[in-house]
Amino acid sequence: MDLYKELGNAIQKNIFGEWEKVTVKIESSLKKMCSFQAEYVLSSKETKELKFPVLTVSDLMDSVFELQESMLTEHKWNKAVYTLEKNGRFDMEFEWDQALQDKWEKG
């Protein structure tokens, strides 16, 4: 699975109105949990929350875990921000947050 393509497809299927930019924030502890927070900016500059159906979230979680695992030796991360612009340009930034990881491990 290709997380970048899956996110793009999920956005296209679940966004409404004339949008300019979408941001999806991901927090994930490898194979344990994963959450998504998405919002988009309309042409009017209004910001709206973007929700994905449960089945879409399940597929996205699998792809997040696959990407995390494939990057583990080079770049460990538990936070990511995916940005997609209307013109098709996208970016994904990755970050390691030790305090967040410690919180998850303590339960």
Side-chain angles (χ1 to χ4, degrees):
M1 298 279 194
D2 182 338
L3 179 60
Y4 307 109
K5 284 183 184 177
E6 281 193 52
L7 280 167
N9 289 339
I11 289 165
Q12 292 292 336
K13 289 178 184 175
N14 294 287
I15 201 166
F16 304 99
E18 286 297 317
W19 60 278
E20 295 295 322
K21 183 171 124 178
V22 178
T23 304
V24 181
K25 295 178 182 177
I26 302 167
E27 291 185 349
S28 178
S29 177
L30 186 61
K31 301 243 182 204
K32 294 180 182 172
M33 65 77 61
C34 186
S35 67
F36 300 88
Q37 181 182 8
E39 64 182 26
Y40 59 102
V41 179
L42 295 169
S43 301
S44 65
K45 305 302 180 205
E46 181 184 359
T47 301
K48 294 198 170 244
E49 182 180 11
L50 176 59
K51 294 189 180 217
F52 299 120
V54 173
L55 289 176
T56 300
V57 170
S58 178
D59 289 342
L60 290 173
M61 286 174 60
D62 290 341
S63 294
V64 166
F65 295 151
E66 284 179 23
L67 183 61
Q68 275 184 303
E69 194 168 355
S70 72
M71 294 175 68
L72 201 53
T73 56
E74 297 170 18
H75 185 72
K76 187 165 72 166
W77 59 274
N78 57 10
K79 285 183 167 183
V81 177
Y82 175 88
T83 305
L84 176 65
E85 296 176 10
K86 183 70 173 179
N87 63 11
R89 184 175 168 266
F90 73 93
D91 183 45
M92 193 152 182
E93 296 178 12
F94 302 95
E95 175 188 339
W96 179 257
D97 183 334
Q98 187 61 50
L100 180 62
Q101 192 66 31
D102 292 343
K103 179 181 165 186
W104 288 334
E105 289 175 7
K106 287 180 183 174

